[in-house]
C-alpha cells in the first residue's frame, strides 16, 4: 500500500504542469526520463534510477560516474526545488566542459601535489590533470567510469541504490586493484545518505567524495552568494598557489574563512586575504572540530529566499568548500539553466588534500585486509522566512 501511495503522489506531482517538459511548473517535481540515459559506454549499460520518499523528495542517480543528476527537496512554500546542477541526458554529460557535476570522484578526491606520493618506500606517479598536480583521481577517474548499479529497499523501507566499480592496478597511476561501492539512500526524514566502502589487494591511497554543485534557489536560478553558511571548523589547511597544502593548520578566527557563526557566502568572498587569491574566492579545506571518526555536523547552508536548509554530516575529518569561482556561464544544464559564475557550491566531505605527502595529516593509506568506510549525509529541512535559526 505504501508503494502505491508513493507512486500516486509522484504521478500527481508530475501531472499538474501543461508546459514544456524541460520547464516545470513552480514547485513541481519534473523527473528526467530514464530513456535519456539509456546507452552503452565502454561495453557497459548506463541507466538512470529514481529514488523517492513519502514526503515527495526525489533523487535521480546514474551509473555514469555514480552521479546525482537531480535532487528535488521541499521549500518553504510547499513546493519542490531541484538543488543540484545536472544535465538532461547522457549525451549532455559526455559533452560537458565541467566533468565534475555530481559524480563520485577518486580514487583520491581533491589534489595530490605534483601527482606523486611515496608508499612503503616506493614512489608512485599519478596522472597530471590540474596544472602540475593530480586532481579528483585524474583524467579518467571514477567520475568517468560506468559503475554497476543495484537498486534495493532498506529494511526500514527506504529506497536506495548501490553502485560499485573495480579500479584495476595501475589505473591513473594508483597501486593495487581497488573495489569500491557507493550506496545512496533517500531517507524518510529527507536526507540523501552516501556510504562508501572500499577494499584493495595491495597497499594504496583512497579518498573518494561526492562532487555535487548545490544551489538552494533551485538549480542555477540565483547566485549562491546569498546562501548563509556555517562550517564547524576552527582551522583550515593553507595552500600554495597551486592549491596544495603547505602542511600548516591555521586558525580561521579573524579571517574571511571564519564560518563558525552563520555568514552569507558573498559577504567576504571578494576579500584580498592572501589564501583566497589563488582560489579566486573560497576553495579550501576546513579541519572539522572533532576527534576520531564519529558522525558529526560539518556544515549548514540556508537560503532565505526559499527557506531551504541543507545540513552536511560526516565521519570524515575535513570538508572542502568551493564557491564556484571558475564557473563562466558557458555550460547549460537542466531546464536551460546557465552555469554562471558562483551559481553552484560544492561541500565535499573528505580527508585532507595531499594527505599522502604529509605525515602529520590523517592517513589515506588502505591495506589488504582493511576496509575503507566513509559516510556523508546531506539532510534537508525548511525554515520559514523570519524564523529564528
Amino acid at each position: 500500500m505504501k508503494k502505491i501511495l508513493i507512486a500516486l503522489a509522484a504521478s500527481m506531482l508530475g501531472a499538474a504542469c501543461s508546459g514544456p517538459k524541460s520547464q516545470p511548473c513552480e514547485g513541481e517535481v519534473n523527473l528526467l526520463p530514464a530513456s535519456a540515459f539509456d546507452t552503452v559506454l565502454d561495453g557497459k549499460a548506463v541507466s538512470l534510477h529514481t529514488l523517492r520518499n513519502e514526503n515527495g523528495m526525489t533523487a535521480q542517480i546514474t551509473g555514469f560516474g555514480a552521479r546525482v543528476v537531480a535532487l528535488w527537496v521541499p521549500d518553504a512554500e510547499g513546493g519542490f526545488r531541484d538543488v543540484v546542477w545536472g544535465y538532461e541526458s547522457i549525451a549532455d554529460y559526455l559533452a560537458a566542459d565541467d566533468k565534475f557535476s555530481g559524480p563520485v570522484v577518486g580514487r583520491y578526491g581533491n589534489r595530490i601535489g605534483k601527482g606523486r606520493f611515496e608508499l612503503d618506500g616506493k614512489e608512485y606517479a599519478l596522472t597530471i590533470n590540474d596544472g602540475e598536480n593530480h586532481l579528483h583521481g585524474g583524467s579518467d577517474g571514477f567520475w568517468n567510469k560506468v559503475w554497476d548499479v543495484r537498486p534495493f529497499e532498506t529494511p526500514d523501507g527506504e529506497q536506495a541504490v548501490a553502485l560499485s566499480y573495480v579500479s584495476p592496478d595501475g589505473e591513473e597511476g594508483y597501486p593495487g586493484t581497488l573495489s569500491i561501492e557507493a550506496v545512496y539512500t533517500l531517507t524518510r526524514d529527507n536526507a540523501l545518505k552516501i556510504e562508501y566502502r572500499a577494499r584493495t589487494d595491495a597497499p594504496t591511497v583512497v579518498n573518494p567524495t561526492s562532487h555535487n554543485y548545490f544551489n538552494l534557489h533551485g538549480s542555477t536560478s540565483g547566485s549562491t552568494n546569498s546562501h548563509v553558511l556555517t562550517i564547524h571548523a576552527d582551522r583550515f589547511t593553507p595552500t600554495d598557489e597551486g592549491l596544495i597544502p603547505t602542511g600548516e593548520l591555521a586558525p580561521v578566527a579573524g579571517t574571511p574563512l571564519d564560518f563558525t557563526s552563520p555568514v552569507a557566502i558573498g559577504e567576504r568572498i571578494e576579500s584580498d586575504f592572501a589564501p583566497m587569491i589563488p582560489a579566486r574566492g573560497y576553495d579550501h579545506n576546513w579541519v572539522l572540530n572533532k576527534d576520531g571518526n564519529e558522525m558529526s555536523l560539518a556544515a549548514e547552508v540556508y537560503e532565505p529566499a526559499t527557506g531551504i536548509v541543507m545540513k552536511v554530516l560526516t565521519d570524515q575529518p575535513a570538508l572542502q568548500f568551493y564557491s564556484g569561482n571558475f564557473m563562466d556561464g558557458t555550460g547549460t544544464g537542466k531546464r536551460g539553466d546557465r552555469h554562471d559564475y558562483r551559481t553552484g557550491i560544492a561541500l565535499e566531505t573528505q580527508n585532507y588534500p595531499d594527505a599522502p605527502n604529509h605525515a602529520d595529516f590523517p592517513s589515506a593509506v588502505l591495506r589488504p585486509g582493511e576496509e575503507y568506510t566513509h559516510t556523508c549525509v546531506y539532510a534537508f529541512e525548511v525554515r520559514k522566512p523570519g524564523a529564528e535559526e
Side-chain angles (χ1 to χ4, degrees), residues 22-23 32 69 82 84-89 92-93 96 101 219-220 329-340 343:
S22 63
Q23 298 292 335
L32 297 171
V69 173
D82 182 4
V84 297
W85 274 25
Y87 298 90
E88 295 188 353
S89 70
D92 291 338
Y93 276 100
S101 181
S219 204
T220 63
T330 58
T332 302
K334 294 171 292 184
R335 299 171 292 277
D337 284 345
R338 286 178 53 190
H339 293 168
D340 285 325
T343 56

Side-chain angles (χ1 to χ4, degrees), residues 107 117 122 124-127 134 137-142 145 165-178 200-205:
R107 290 187 194 185
F117 67 92
K122 181 177 179 180
Y124 293 91
L126 307 177
T127 303
H134 177 85
S139 57
D140 192 21
F142 291 172
K145 305 299 183 181
Y165 174 68
V166 177
S167 174
D169 178 38
E171 185 172 70
E172 299 297 294
Y174 289 97
T177 298
L178 185 82
T200 182
D201 66 358
T204 191
V205 296

Side-chain angles (χ1 to χ4, degrees), residues 184-246:
Y184 291 89
T185 303
L186 189 62
T187 70
R188 58 170 41 90
D189 55 354
N190 285 358
L192 183 65
K193 179 169 66 175
I194 310 171
E195 298 170 286
Y196 303 91
R197 296 180 180 85
R199 290 184 176 273
T200 182
D201 66 358
T204 191
V205 296
V206 62
N207 181 41
T209 190
S210 174
H211 204 281
N212 287 292
Y213 294 125
F214 293 98
N215 186 316
L216 303 188
H217 288 286
S219 204
T220 63
S221 58
S223 171
T224 51
N225 279 351
S226 62
H227 290 5
V228 179
L229 175 65
T230 307
I231 301 178
H232 298 284
D234 294 332
R235 297 176 296 169
F236 75 106
T237 52
T239 62
D240 62 19
E241 291 188 357
L243 303 182
I244 300 299
T246 63

Side-chain angles (χ1 to χ4, degrees), residues 233-283:
D234 294 332
R235 297 176 296 169
F236 75 106
T237 52
T239 62
D240 62 19
E241 291 188 357
L243 303 182
I244 300 299
T246 63
E248 178 189 4
L249 302 184
V252 300
T255 79
L257 274 64
D258 188 350
F259 286 95
T260 52
S261 297
V263 178
I265 291 172
E267 183 172 322
R268 301 177 303 209
I269 200 168
E270 299 296 345
S271 169
D272 60 359
F273 183 51
M276 295 175 64
I277 293 173
R280 305 183 189 177
Y282 298 111
D283 191 6

Side-chain angles (χ1 to χ4, degrees), residues 75-387:
D75 65 18
E77 297 183 353
F80 291 84
R81 307 263 180 161
D82 182 4
V83 295
V84 297
W85 274 25
Y87 298 90
E88 295 188 353
S89 70
I90 188 64
D92 291 338
Y93 276 100
L94 293 172
D97 289 333
D98 190 329
K99 304 300 184 182
F100 302 132
S101 181
V104 170
V105 294
R107 290 187 194 185
Y108 204 95
N110 217 307
R111 294 172 174 84
I112 294 180
K114 295 184 171 51
R116 294 182 177 275
F117 67 92
E118 185 177 299
L119 179 58
D120 296 339
K122 181 177 179 180
E123 186 175 87
Y124 293 91
L126 307 177
T127 303
I128 302 300
N129 64 323
D130 182 55
E132 61 180 12
N133 302 313
H134 177 85
L135 175 66
H136 292 331
S139 57
D140 192 21
F142 291 172
W143 54 270
N144 201 40
K145 305 299 183 181
V146 179
W147 296 50
D148 294 324
V149 182
R150 178 177 61 87
F152 68 100
E153 189 173 281
T154 72
D156 293 331
E158 296 168 331
Q159 295 187 2
V161 61
L163 301 105
S164 58
Y165 174 68
V166 177
S167 174
D169 178 38
E171 185 172 70
E172 299 297 294
Y174 289 97
T177 298
L178 185 82
S179 299
I180 184 168
E181 180 181 65
V183 177
Y184 291 89
T185 303
L186 189 62
T187 70
R188 58 170 41 90
D189 55 354
N190 285 358
L192 183 65
K193 179 169 66 175
I194 310 171
E195 298 170 286
Y196 303 91
R197 296 180 180 85
R199 290 184 176 273
T200 182
D201 66 358
T204 191
V205 296
V206 62
N207 181 41
T209 190
S210 174
H211 204 281
N212 287 292
Y213 294 125
F214 293 98
N215 186 316
L216 303 188
H217 288 286
S219 204
T220 63
S221 58
S223 171
T224 51
N225 279 351
S226 62
H227 290 5
V228 179
L229 175 65
T230 307
I231 301 178
H232 298 284
D234 294 332
R235 297 176 296 169
F236 75 106
T237 52
T239 62
D240 62 19
E241 291 188 357
L243 303 182
I244 300 299
T246 63
E248 178 189 4
L249 302 184
V252 300
T255 79
L257 274 64
D258 188 350
F259 286 95
T260 52
S261 297
V263 178
I265 291 172
E267 183 172 322
R268 301 177 303 209
I269 200 168
E270 299 296 345
S271 169
D272 60 359
F273 183 51
M276 295 175 64
I277 293 173
R280 305 183 189 177
Y282 298 111
D283 191 6
H284 300 78
N285 174 65
W286 274 257
V287 177
L288 299 176
N289 296 337
K290 65 191 302 179
D291 293 316
N293 60 354
E294 74 279 2
M295 286 292 294
S296 65
L297 180 63
E300 179 178 308
V301 191
Y302 167 56
E303 173 46 53
T306 61
I308 297 173
V309 178
M310 181 176 75
K311 295 182 177 180
V312 185
L313 301 94
T314 188
D315 57 3
Q316 294 299 290
L319 179 80
Q320 185 85 10
F321 163 45
Y322 169 59
S323 54
N325 316 309
F326 296 94
M327 299 165 180
D328 59 8
T330 58
T332 302
K334 294 171 292 184
R335 299 171 292 277
D337 284 345
R338 286 178 53 190
H339 293 168
D340 285 325
Y341 185 54
R342 293 177 179 161
T343 56
I345 62 170
L347 292 164
E348 306 153 61
T349 60
Q350 61 179 15
N351 196 345
Y352 301 1
D354 201 34
N357 291 313
H358 296 272
D360 293 337
F361 285 4
S363 175
V365 176
L366 180 67
R367 299 185 180 279
E370 300 175 343
E371 183 179 50
Y372 170 87
T373 62
H374 169 180
T375 299
C376 169
V377 176
Y378 296 106
F380 293 88
E381 302 174 358
V382 172
R383 182 181 300 156
K384 296 295 183 180

